[in-house]
Amino acid sequence: MAESVIGKRIPKVDSREKVTGQAMYAGDYRMPGMYYGKVVRCWEYASAKVKKLDFTEALKMPGVVKILGPDDVTKKPYNTTVMKLLVPEIFGEVFGEIADLNIFNKIVKHQGDAICGVIARTEEAAERAADKIKVTYEPLPVLMTCEESKAEGAKKNGYLFTPLKPGNKAFDLPASFFPNQRYGWNDKDGKTAMELFDKCDYVIEDTYYVPKQKQCQMENHSYVAHYDERGRLNIWTSTQMAKPVQVLIAELFELPLTRVRLVQTIVGGGFGVRLGMIGEPHCCAMAMAVPGHPVRMEFLREEDWVASETRYPGHIWFKCGFKKDGSPIALDSMYMARKGGYYTHGSGPPFCFAAFIHGMYKWQAMGCQTEGYFTNEVPTGAYRGYGNPQLAFSGEQMITRMCKELGLDELEWRKKWHKGIGDETWLKGVTFASDGLNDCLDVAAKESGWYEKKKKYAKQTGVKRRGLGVSVMQHTSGAFPMLLEHSVCTAKLNEDCTVELMQQISDLGTGGHTAITQMAAETLGFPMEDIHLRSGDSDMCGFDIGAHASRTVYCAGPATIEACESVKKQLLERAAQLLEANVKDLQMKDKIISVKGNPQKSISAIKIAKEGVYNYIDAATGKTIGIPGQIQGYSSFFAKHCSPPFGACISEVEVDTETGEIKVLKLVNAHDIGKAIHPPSVEGQLEGGAQQGLGFVLTEEYAYDKMGRVLNNDFTDYKMLGPSDMPDAKIILIESAPDPIGPMGAKSCGESALMGPIGSVANAIFDAIGIQFKEAPITPEKVLKAIKEQGLQK
Amino acid sequence: MKKRAITLTINGEEYNLNVPVHYTLLQVMRDQLNLTDVKYGCGRGECGACTVLLDVGKGGMQCKPTDKKTTYCTMSQSKRKPILACIALAATMDGKSITTVAGLAQNGDLHPVQKAFVDESAIQCGFCTPGMVLKAVSILEKNPKPSEEEIRNGLEGNICRCTGYVKIVKAVQVASKKTATGKR
Ligand code: FES
Ligand code: FES
């Protein structure tokens, strides 16, 4: 065996091309005969009917090739998400999944809805012509809250977003599947949480608000689509889920799968926004209108804010009951979400919110209800964490409040009452196989000086008050068994004994490709530089779900390992034949296969690989030299579990009680990774996730005017933390609980990073000034207002 | 469409261009010249993805004879200032010289800042990387030994949504140490 590469701090496989500017993102592709597409969006209204579309002036503009309206493209409605491919049809029906979006629309349901598209010879010509298109709108009522939407939906002839969802209710948890429309469990006597509150010594109830946050991936959405002479629709896109998106495009344009070729380019950040289709349908529709000419389409940044999906905002209600000693008895809860203009992921993230409650603490009974109403906002969809950040903000604050009021140590309480090995995870019937949370808590407590500082900050008097907060979480590694978790890998052994892996799995920047290559190198015992992962072209790669639900290493990695094991096995089998030895007695090191204990009896793997390809006939004997056939390994892997990782985070903040400013001084995030295949990547996920988590809790949210138009669709007004705003972040990888199921012991980390910072910062603010904030983001204005109204509570 | 003839040097190569007067440097580079290592992130000067370095002083070896026998030579690094290509009009760039991330490596060796970004895994999706690396280069050219605070302040204006800036700051520190000790 060559020296192990697992757990090594090696450079990432794709960093040199990225640092020299050679990496090609979708927006960097230029092709001969290329045209430019521009989608005309509704900017002035969030709710309106298109009365008239007039292309006359626009068509006179130089360079215009074609203009497409709603009637010039397929009218087949679609849903942006790939969800329906991930669950059996019956589930989609149970959850009420619908297709309610059109490529170009006659009814505007949110600002930024697509109305028509211009194809021109240059980008500038397309933009100029788009400006000349006259759209006449009839404004409709603008519904921006669940209450408004519900009230309007209750009226006869009320405004309906879609006839498929009467009353404007986008989703709830169907009673046919969820008793009491709640996800959870009853106590051992069959009592629901609601029935247990009477038995509790202490009951708390709170309502929280969670914000509409934007992914803000740095690469704008760009595409090139080309309807070629073979009648194939080719599309280059930086989607997260290449294979499912290829299937959706084929369905939308009613083409057999083999006539759609999807090339996934390097992804300039995803965070969930590229989980389904965004601009693919528009770009493809334009390309199909001009066969033979590739059409390039690039979103402007301001389009991204209104035409791609966001996090689910809404109100969260909790009622929790405990015994005096803090034993958790009953939890009942409700997540009422503003859906935005389209169904997209439906109940997905709110259901997962409920699921993550399910996986966290040992209540005797728990239930969570979710509901969502359509609003005239940018549609909501997938965003890193998928319901879990919302829980971190609400649930973790509630636990801390209870501990404070009952005089309990909140860190000890979490150690005692979190679920662990043998308990049910976020999904009923699936139990934890590993648990490193207590180690995370211990290490984080030590690193942050939890006990000493808690004492030190107990009595403060100054203008600036410091506080410490803790928060824990569990997440998931892939979404088995709720969702399909299938990954295919082909490992091709070249004649010089190097390898290419063909696998349709994107690397959003997470380091997934690096980790997968490491796993391949480890399995084969080959050096890293002898292995290249080719991902991207659907013609070349087998099925893969793609990058979502923190699944890449956990679900795609095992496919790689199995494919490489197969290559190795074939090499050993051939060696056994040639050496006249038993396969079991053979070992491979540095590409030399030898009999264990008899190193002289050996053969080079390179020779076997070469002779497999160049299988000449020996003129003297008339026999072939070596064993014929190029070796390939293959795996079609289905995940068997979801090995949830745990994590604990402690934050220290300083609140300026005169200005309301909150400064995060230190953040310690300990993550139960099982085994870190590429530690810098895992750290990178947690460090970067902290920036997004802190944004959720401190600064980030959409602002709308009364007309439903976004007020902060730029990086100046939508405040993300910059390099000098970020706290000292200490990331600790806990490897004391390698997962028995995960590949090489690994669990996930991609989405886990946001929860800790969110919950712990909210709790640290509570600790500093004694006021709990129920609304995220916790801005200086809210802090000042609360201090003014409630006074410093500490 | 009004056009203007300009001469622009990019990564040491001279381009004679006819640019529409309203085109930004970013448009000219990406769309006219296909130099796609300069990225479009926002188009309004808010994200730094399109950062390029503008040469504002002569670099290289400068030698003057001090007396008949000796010549006094100094090596000075060219002074380069970061500008945002998305808000710079190409027509105003006549006679200027700029560097992009594709022109930083010398004789196949990565620039110390590039190398540090690779070694420290300071790159995730990589979309902010070209701008970030160039910004870091300009910080170190001005101040070879910046404090952490100076690095962080210097990087302001360049947004990264992936890394939380942790490993980026670390990479600049590592590059600073390497360049300060003359190692490459
Ligand atoms: S593209 Fe964002 S600053 Fe230029
Ligand atoms: S690495 Fe993705 S934006 Fe910085």
Side-chain angles (χ1 to χ4, degrees):
Chain A
M1 213 24 215
E3 206 201 324
S4 173
V5 287
I6 300 299
K8 291 277 146 60
R9 307 184 74 86
I10 50 174
K12 291 186 177 180
V13 293
D14 53 359
S15 51
R16 279 188 76 105
E17 68 218 51
K18 285 178 175 172
V19 87
T20 50
Q22 288 168 21
M24 296 268 288
Y25 299 82
D28 299 334
Y29 285 74
R30 307 283 184 272
M31 291 176 197
M34 189 166 84
Y35 288 161
Y36 296 79
K38 177 86 207 153
V39 171
V40 175
R41 302 186 181 281
C42 175
W43 290 95
E44 42 284 68
Y45 299 101
S47 179
K49 206 180 262 169
V50 177
K51 295 291 280 182
K52 215 175 119 203
L53 260 181
D54 183 358
F55 299 156
T56 328
E57 290 304 307
L59 283 167
K60 289 185 199 149
M61 295 295 289
V64 171
V65 177
K66 255 186 192 174
I67 301 180
L68 308 176
D71 298 326
D72 304 317
V73 296
T74 174
K75 287 203 230 28
K76 200 175 166 189
Y78 67 97
N79 184 326
T80 55
T81 75
V82 303
M83 277 306 154
K84 69 171 179 192
L85 303 176
L86 308 185
V87 293
E89 217 173 307
I90 173 79
F91 271 111
E93 278 165 26
V94 166
F95 281 95
E97 191 175 289
I98 54 162
D100 56 348
L101 177 61
N102 284 97
I103 295 180
F104 297 127
N105 296 278
K106 293 179 180 176
I107 304 256
V108 174
K109 293 180 189 166
H110 66 87
Q111 186 194 26
D113 237 340
I115 307 299
C116 55
V118 181
I119 307 163
R121 286 201 182 84
T122 66
E123 195 159 17
E124 200 184 6
E127 273 167 18
R128 285 182 184 243
D131 279 348
K132 295 279 178 204
I133 290 176
K134 287 202 194 86
V135 192
T136 319
Y137 294 103
E138 177 194 319
L140 294 171
V142 180
L143 309 173
M144 297 299 282
T145 65
C146 290
E147 294 70 39
E148 286 170 7
S149 181
K150 201 172 174 177
E152 194 74 19
K155 286 185 200 162
K156 241 203 222 141
N157 306 321
Y159 175 75
L160 299 183
F161 279 78
T162 158
L164 298 170
K165 294 284 177 182
N168 292 345
K169 189 198 256 187
F171 64 84
D172 54 16
L173 294 183
S176 59
F177 208 75
F178 297 93
N180 294 317
Q181 290 198 291
R182 283 165 169 77
Y183 181 61
W185 67 83
N186 297 342
D187 81 345
K188 55 182 187 332
D189 303 322
K191 292 229 162 53
T192 65
M194 289 171 281
E195 292 164 330
L196 288 181
F197 286 121
D198 287 349
K199 294 221 179 74
C200 301
D201 300 326
Y202 171 79
V203 176
I204 45 174
E205 207 176 326
D206 257 330
T207 302
Y208 299 85
Y209 173 77
V210 288
K212 190 171 179 70
Q213 189 186 20
K214 190 78 191 116
Q215 296 86 349
C216 297
Q217 78 300 332
M218 288 314 295
E219 180 205 5
N220 284 294
H221 309 299
S222 293
Y223 315 89
V224 180
H226 182 204
Y227 195 54
D228 69 20
E229 284 303 324
R230 288 191 184 199
R232 296 186 94 199
L233 177 59
N234 302 267
I235 169 123
W236 287 258
T237 163
S238 51
T239 180
Q240 291 179 226
M241 301 178 85
K243 186 70 197 185
V245 166
Q246 180 202 359
V247 175
L248 291 190
I249 291 171
E251 279 183 8
L252 179 59
F253 294 99
E254 293 169 273
L255 293 169
L257 205 47
T258 187
R259 278 179 59 199
V260 177
R261 171 174 167 242
L262 186 146
V263 183
Q264 173 187 61
T265 61
I266 291 173
V267 185
F271 317 122
V273 75
R274 306 185 205 269
L275 215 128
M277 298 192 291
I278 308 168
E280 286 89 347
H282 310 83
C283 193
C284 288
M286 291 198 249
M288 290 182 78
V290 288
H293 288 274
V295 174
R296 170 175 136 78
M297 186 181 114
E298 183 167 39
F299 275 36
L300 296 173
R301 175 57 64 179
E302 47 270 42
E303 284 182 275
D304 181 41
W305 292 94
V306 294
S308 71
E309 294 156 16
T310 73
R311 203 184 282 296
Y312 279 57
H315 285 91
I316 289 168
W317 167 82
F318 266 116
K319 185 172 177 183
C320 300
F322 303 84
K323 287 277 178 224
K324 262 203 294 294
D325 65 355
S327 327
I329 306 297
L331 176 148
D332 197 16
S333 54
M334 164 83 170
Y335 184 174
M336 172 76 86
R338 304 202 310 263
K339 186 66 210 67
Y342 293 99
Y343 184 81
T344 69
H345 289 241
S347 60
F351 170 76
C352 288
F353 165 85
F356 293 123
I357 303 177
H358 194 279
M360 199 64 243
Y361 296 120
K362 296 174 177 169
W363 306 94
Q364 289 182 11
M366 75 134 284
C368 180
Q369 207 180 349
T370 73
E371 226 170 80
Y373 285 86
F374 287 113
T375 52
N376 293 113
E377 294 170 280
V378 180
T380 50
Y383 185 175
R384 197 177 190 181
Y386 211 76
N388 214 351
Q390 290 92 324
L391 173 61
F393 183 74
S394 53
E396 285 300 286
Q397 284 209 74
M398 195 190 50
I399 295 300
T400 289
R401 187 187 140 192
M402 176 278 296
C403 289
K404 193 176 174 217
E405 289 176 12
L406 292 181
L408 303 170
D409 183 321
E410 56 173 316
L411 202 139
E412 291 303 324
W413 189 93
R414 286 175 167 93
K415 267 186 171 172
K416 183 163 177 195
W417 293 111
H418 77 80
K419 287 185 167 184
I421 295 175
D423 295 323
E424 274 189 335
T425 61
W426 59 272
L427 201 60
K428 262 189 200 318
V430 182
T431 55
F432 286 99
S434 62
D435 164 16
L437 182 51
N438 284 356
D439 291 341
C440 291
L441 278 163
D442 286 340
V443 171
K446 185 149 176 252
E447 176 68 31
S448 62
W450 172 263
Y451 291 103
E452 307 86 73
K453 282 191 175 161
K454 272 275 183 187
K455 247 183 241 145
K456 192 169 141 204
Y457 298 155
K459 290 185 202 81
Q460 296 175 78
T461 47
V463 168
K464 293 184 178 175
R465 305 276 174 99
R466 291 190 174 189
L468 255 69
V470 64
S471 159
V472 298
M473 68 103 221
Q474 35 68 59
H475 199 70
T476 194
S477 308
F480 176 86
M482 187 170 79
L483 305 182
L484 178 70
E485 284 298 356
H486 183 196
S487 283
V488 173
C489 174
T490 306
K492 172 166 67 78
L493 187 74
N494 296 315
E495 50 264 54
D496 63 349
C497 209
T498 56
V499 169
E500 279 104 38
L501 306 168
M502 283 165 287
Q503 201 162 353
Q504 191 70 309
I505 182 80
S506 56
D507 183 331
L508 316 183
T510 56
H513 281 188
T514 302
I516 285 179
T517 310
Q518 282 173 285
M519 289 168 148
E522 183 76 6
T523 308
L524 287 162
F526 291 1
M528 284 287 282
E529 56 271 22
D530 282 1
I531 300 170
H532 287 96
L533 171 63
R534 295 297 313 163
S535 165
D537 195 327
S538 63
D539 279 2
M540 226 170 55
C541 301
F543 187 87
D544 200 299
I545 296 293
H548 86 135
S550 303
R551 71 181 290 280
T552 305
V553 166
Y554 186 85
C555 299
T560 320
I561 293 174
E562 283 188 359
C564 291
E565 276 169 351
S566 160
V567 167
K568 187 174 172 182
K569 184 165 166 258
Q570 294 175 59
L571 278 170
L572 293 179
E573 280 167 0
R574 289 189 190 188
Q577 208 180 320
L578 295 164
L579 294 171
E580 295 177 346
N582 196 323
V583 178
K584 279 195 289 239
D585 299 333
L586 295 180
Q587 61 184 11
M588 179 161 74
K589 187 175 186 263
D590 299 332
K591 299 190 182 176
I592 302 289
I593 302 171
S594 61
V595 176
K596 284 176 210 158
N598 184 4
Q600 270 87 320
K601 205 170 168 188
S602 69
I603 187 166
S604 150
I606 301 173
K607 184 170 147 64
I608 295 176
K610 191 171 175 191
E611 288 175 351
V613 173
Y614 304 105
N615 196 248
Y616 303 117
I617 306 287
D618 185 336
T621 63
K623 286 189 184 146
T624 62
I625 306 166
I627 299 169
Q630 179 164 17
I631 292 177
Q632 290 211 17
Y634 172 81
S635 164
S636 171
F637 175 82
F638 293 86
K640 319 259 177 321
H641 203 272
C642 60
S643 303
F646 286 98
C649 186
I650 290 178
S651 292
E652 182 177 348
V653 305
E654 184 178 85
V655 182
D656 186 323
T657 55
E658 284 175 0
T659 63
E661 274 168 303
I662 298 159
K663 210 163 152 190
V664 183
L665 303 171
K666 187 164 177 127
L667 189 145
V668 180
N669 202 355
H671 183 67
D672 166 37
I673 186 69
K675 173 74 195 168
I677 306 295
H678 186 245
S681 290
V682 182
E683 291 161 7
Q685 286 303 294
L686 291 152
E687 290 159 357
Q691 190 257 9
Q692 299 184 12
L694 293 174
F696 178 108
V697 69
L698 295 175
T699 61
E700 296 182 29
E701 180 169 36
Y702 270 70
Y704 279 101
D705 71 6
K706 279 207 184 67
M707 300 272 290
R709 293 174 302 204
V710 184
L711 289 168
N712 54 351
N713 60 353
D714 58 60
F715 293 139
T716 303
D717 296 322
Y718 183 94
K719 172 66 183 161
M720 292 187 278
L721 298 193
S724 49
D725 307 317
M726 282 298 290
D728 173 15
K730 173 93 185 160
I731 303 301
I732 304 169
L733 307 184
I734 301 293
E735 297 184 300
S736 59
D739 192 76
I741 301 151
M744 302 179 176
K747 297 187 266 191
S748 75
C749 63
E751 295 172 280
S752 298
L754 278 75
M755 280 66 93
I758 293 173
S760 64
V761 165
N763 281 335
I765 296 168
F766 180 39
D767 186 47
I769 59 173
I771 299 172
Q772 221 176 32
F773 289 85
K774 313 285 152 97
E775 251 181 53
I778 307 172
T779 58
E781 297 77 45
K782 289 181 193 163
V783 172
L784 278 186
K785 187 164 171 264
I787 294 177
K788 204 167 154 205
E789 283 168 12
Q790 303 172 39
L792 285 173
Q793 302 291 311
K794 208 176 146 181
Chain B
M1 201 189 293
K2 255 207 172 134
K3 289 193 175 178
R4 193 177 291 183
I6 64 163
T7 304
L8 176 62
T9 305
I10 304 173
N11 297 333
E13 230 166 281
E14 200 176 278
Y15 293 84
N16 293 309
L17 303 166
N18 220 357
V19 297
V21 289
H22 61 282
Y23 267 36
T24 64
L25 177 59
L26 184 66
Q27 274 172 304
V28 168
M29 292 179 76
R30 285 186 63 82
D31 299 338
Q32 246 176 307
L33 300 174
N34 216 355
L35 301 174
T36 54
D37 59 314
V38 191
K39 299 297 179 204
Y40 161 69
C42 69
R44 38 213 266 186
E46 298 175 337
C47 76
C50 64
T51 303
V52 299
L53 295 181
L54 175 69
D55 290 10
V56 286
K58 266 238 165 65
M61 180 121 61
Q62 264 122 42
C63 299
K64 349 176 192 115
T66 45
D67 53 52
K68 280 183 201 112
K69 283 185 210 129
T70 52
T71 310
Y72 181 71
C73 292
T74 47
M75 267 298 277
S76 74
Q77 250 185 343
S78 64
K79 289 208 178 55
R80 298 183 284 194
K81 161 177 140 194
I83 59 165
L84 299 171
C86 73
I87 49 170
L89 277 181
T92 65
M93 301 294 292
D94 187 29
K96 300 266 158 68
S97 167
I98 59 174
T99 308
T100 75
V101 85
L104 273 183
Q106 271 174 13
N107 312 320
D109 287 340
L110 294 183
H111 185 280
V113 170
Q114 286 175 306
K115 189 159 183 320
F117 267 63
V118 171
D119 292 343
E120 297 304 317
S121 289
I123 304 162
Q124 290 193 25
C125 81
F127 202 81
C128 72
T129 305
M132 216 43 108
V133 165
L134 293 167
K135 192 64 160 301
V137 168
S138 76
I139 294 172
L140 293 179
E141 283 185 357
K142 243 202 323 215
N143 175 6
K145 283 188 181 166
S147 65
E148 180 177 337
E149 201 186 333
E150 285 168 332
I151 295 172
R152 287 184 181 270
N153 289 338
L155 291 175
E156 275 299 336
N158 284 56
I159 298 177
C160 175
R161 190 57 156 172
C162 296
T163 62
Y165 307 96
V166 179
K167 294 201 188 318
I168 291 178
V169 171
K170 179 81 198 299
V172 182
Q173 287 171 327
V174 167
S176 152
K177 265 193 209 119
K178 292 253 167 77
T179 42
T181 55
K183 267 189 242 144
R184 245 194 112 132

